[in-house]
Amino acid sequence: MNDRKMPQPLVSIIIVNYNGRELLKNCFESLSKITYSNVEIILIDNNSSDDSIAFTKENFPKIIVTKLDDNKGFAEPNNIGARLAKGKYLLFLNNDTIVTENFVTELVDVIEKDEAIGICQSLLLKPDGSVDSSGDFIDKLGVVYNSKTKTDKIREISSARGASMLIHKNIFDKLGGFDEKFFISFEDVDLGWRTWICGYSVVLVPNSVVYH
């Protein structure tokens, strides 16, 4: 019997930034403590006028940095990051998050065990511990709403929040990435909808906790 563990798949963590130097400090410091070792971190900067780039290069030199020539919002910069990424999975993460040590491990464990899952979302908590998001749903009128129900169960959701979202890179590429007609909102809702149409599910992983 072979007891050797399978190697961890590479996860590409993609962070879009615009004048968020102070946010990046907390985010990067929390990422430096995660238990999942096989990651690359990609920062796509929307032409910040603060010292975000200099700060990152000086203090976190392993992070891959690309500076754009304009503020291009959320969708397009993340697509640029995805094209640079080498991982089996893409993990889109907001720059104003503080992650917990096992947040990547919990997401990967769930998605690796079920080929029907296309996207996983972390449970997003506010600094006081209250729920910021436990996934998006669509009501009977077709209106998308954000759930703030705290749960300890993995559950299907209509779409995952882009604040901490893991997706198969091949599915993301197949779908053409985020729709760049969306500048800074609802691009994650649209991606979740198209993932379902493509035949994959979207789930919340409550043991993957991220403060947002």
Side-chain angles (χ1 to χ4, degrees):
M1 182 175 178
N2 189 345
D3 292 329
R4 288 184 303 174
K5 292 182 178 180
M6 295 294 291
Q8 293 178 327
L10 178 62
V11 174
S12 300
I13 301 175
I14 301 171
I15 301 171
V16 172
N17 177 68
Y18 178 65
N19 289 335
R21 187 263 194 224
E22 290 304 316
L23 297 173
L24 291 177
K25 178 179 184 295
N26 293 330
C27 182
F28 290 160
E29 286 181 352
S30 68
L31 283 170
S32 71
K33 301 173 184 176
I34 62 174
T35 57
Y36 196 93
S37 59
N38 196 16
V39 300
E40 62 174 4
I41 302 174
I42 300 171
L43 179 71
I44 306 297
D45 186 82
N46 272 324
N47 197 28
S48 293
S49 57
D50 65 5
D51 66 341
S52 291
I53 298 293
F55 167 79
T56 301
K57 290 183 175 180
E58 179 179 351
N59 294 281
F60 301 92
K62 292 183 179 180
I63 292 176
I64 301 163
V65 177
T66 294
K67 184 173 183 178
L68 306 181
D69 58 6
D70 197 8
N71 182 0
K72 298 183 183 296
F74 183 84
E76 185 177 352
N78 273 311
N79 287 344
I80 292 170
R83 289 194 289 271
L84 296 173
K86 298 177 181 177
K88 177 180 180 180
Y89 297 106
L90 307 175
L91 201 169
F92 299 104
L93 187 70
N94 279 9
N95 66 348
D96 60 345
T97 56
I98 296 176
V99 305
T100 55
E101 292 182 358
N102 66 340
F103 94 107
V104 178
T105 302
E106 295 291 346
L107 293 172
V108 173
D109 282 351
V110 170
I111 205 167
E112 282 277 287
K113 290 176 182 175
D114 191 343
E115 294 181 353
I117 296 175
I119 299 177
C120 293
Q121 179 194 310
S122 301
L123 176 64
L124 301 174
L125 300 181
K126 296 178 181 179
D128 64 4
S130 61
V131 177
D132 180 57
S133 175
S134 54
D136 284 338
F137 292 87
I138 300 175
D139 67 17
K140 293 180 180 179
L141 297 177
V143 178
V144 175
Y145 68 93
N146 172 41
S147 171
K148 294 183 179 290
T149 301
K150 195 162 189 177
T151 178
D152 58 1
K153 305 290 185 183
I154 297 170
R155 63 173 181 173
E156 292 184 345
I157 55 180
S158 66
S159 58
R161 289 279 164 135
S164 181
M165 168 204 297
L166 182 81
I167 183 171
H168 282 273
K169 187 176 190 302
N170 61 353
I171 295 175
F172 189 80
D173 292 343
K174 180 179 179 180
L175 294 172
F178 289 112
D179 188 335
E180 295 180 6
K181 291 192 295 293
F182 297 96
F183 182 75
I184 203 168
S185 187
F186 288 100
E187 62 287 300
D188 45 7
V189 173
D190 170 75
L191 184 69
W193 178 247
R194 289 188 285 123
T195 299
W196 277 106
I197 292 173
C198 196
Y200 297 94
S201 61
V202 183
V203 302
L204 172 77
V205 181
N207 287 337
S208 172
V209 176
V210 170
Y211 289 90
H212 180 236

